[in-house]
Amino acid sequence: MDCNIIRDLLPLYIDACCSEESTRQIEAHIAECADCKEIYESMKVPCETVSIPAVPTALRRINDWKASVLQSALLFGSFFAIAVGVSLEGKTPSGFSNSFWALNLVVPVTGFMLSLSNWYFIRLYKSRKQFSVCSSLATFAFTVCAYAWAVWHYEMIDIASLFADCDAALFFDVMHSLLFLYGIGFVLTAVFCVLSGVLSALYAKMLGKQ
């Protein structure tokens, strides 16, 4: 029998899947052919398999529990901060500073809290990094939408009239007042965007996302 045919049949011979006639021909061939016998001997050596240790069930449950606690704590903290901001906003007298707590606390925290909804779709992301980046972008997008609603709700478009027909000194005074009133919210938005990326990466790590 041809060497190529013998070598094709060797796996079946080793697994004892050949017929008696084929088995006799293979044994007769490898007894005479040194090359085929060497291939046969090398194929008989069992391959070493590398076993990947599985994550213990208990440890996986603990990590799932930690991830759930983290998400719940962030949601509770966000609700609490929004409640405080709404309460303080209600006590603020009407006027130019009426929207202070809304724009500097309620809006940034609301954007962050809404972005946590992205965590429920973590299995749709291919990697931990992708999930972290998208969580930060979601925080930014939700916050921008919340600011747009606040501008409409508080009729802040009228602020543009403050800059009409004003000299340089008055312009800087107005800008200083606006930054004092609303600058905290912009800084807090940036902080929440970074925090969202860091915490989402931690959340993904707890759930075993690579």
Side-chain angles (χ1 to χ4, degrees):
M1 191 178 290
D2 185 76
C3 287
N4 291 327
I5 298 177
I6 293 296
R7 293 170 187 176
D8 290 340
L9 294 174
L10 282 178
L12 296 175
Y13 173 72
I14 293 173
D15 292 337
C17 296
C18 290
S19 64
E20 294 182 3
E21 179 64 26
S22 297
T23 300
R24 285 195 296 269
Q25 292 188 36
I26 293 171
E27 291 176 347
H29 182 87
I30 61 178
E32 298 176 356
C33 180
D35 292 336
C36 290
K37 184 176 182 179
E38 182 179 353
I39 294 174
Y40 166 68
E41 295 294 339
S42 64
M43 293 178 68
K44 283 200 308 180
V45 178
C47 298
E48 294 184 1
T49 57
V50 179
S51 59
I52 301 175
V55 179
T57 303
L59 179 59
R60 184 167 61 249
R61 288 179 178 175
I62 291 174
N63 288 335
D64 291 345
W65 178 80
K66 288 181 179 179
S68 179
V69 169
L70 174 62
Q71 187 177 26
S72 300
L74 292 176
L75 285 171
F76 176 80
S78 299
F79 276 121
F80 180 78
I82 291 173
V84 171
V86 170
S87 177
L88 293 173
E89 181 68 20
K91 297 178 181 179
T92 304
S94 59
F96 186 68
S97 62
N98 177 244
S99 58
F100 178 82
W101 291 106
L103 295 179
N104 287 304
L105 182 59
V106 177
V107 167
V109 176
T110 299
F112 174 75
M113 183 191 69
L114 292 177
S115 71
L116 293 176
S117 61
N118 183 54
W119 288 21
Y120 291 102
F121 304 98
I122 184 173
R123 290 177 176 80
L124 299 179
Y125 294 93
K126 296 180 179 179
S127 65
R128 187 190 309 170
K129 182 178 180 181
Q130 185 185 55
F131 174 68
S132 175
V133 171
C134 288
S135 295
S136 295
L137 293 177
T139 301
F140 179 77
F142 279 122
T143 306
V144 169
C145 292
Y147 270 118
W149 175 86
V151 169
W152 172 81
H153 178 75
Y154 288 99
E155 299 179 352
M156 295 178 63
I157 299 176
D158 294 339
I159 291 179
S161 62
L162 296 173
F163 297 99
D165 301 325
C166 65
D167 55 18
L170 181 58
F171 174 82
F172 285 111
D173 286 340
V174 173
M175 287 298 299
H176 180 269
S177 298
L178 290 176
L179 289 175
F180 174 75
L181 285 173
Y182 310 120
I184 298 175
F186 298 146
V187 174
L188 202 57
T189 297
V191 171
F192 277 134
C193 287
V194 174
L195 192 63
S196 178
V198 173
L199 292 177
S200 60
L202 177 62
Y203 178 78
K205 183 178 180 180
M206 290 177 178
L207 295 180
K209 196 77 171 179
Q210 298 299 321

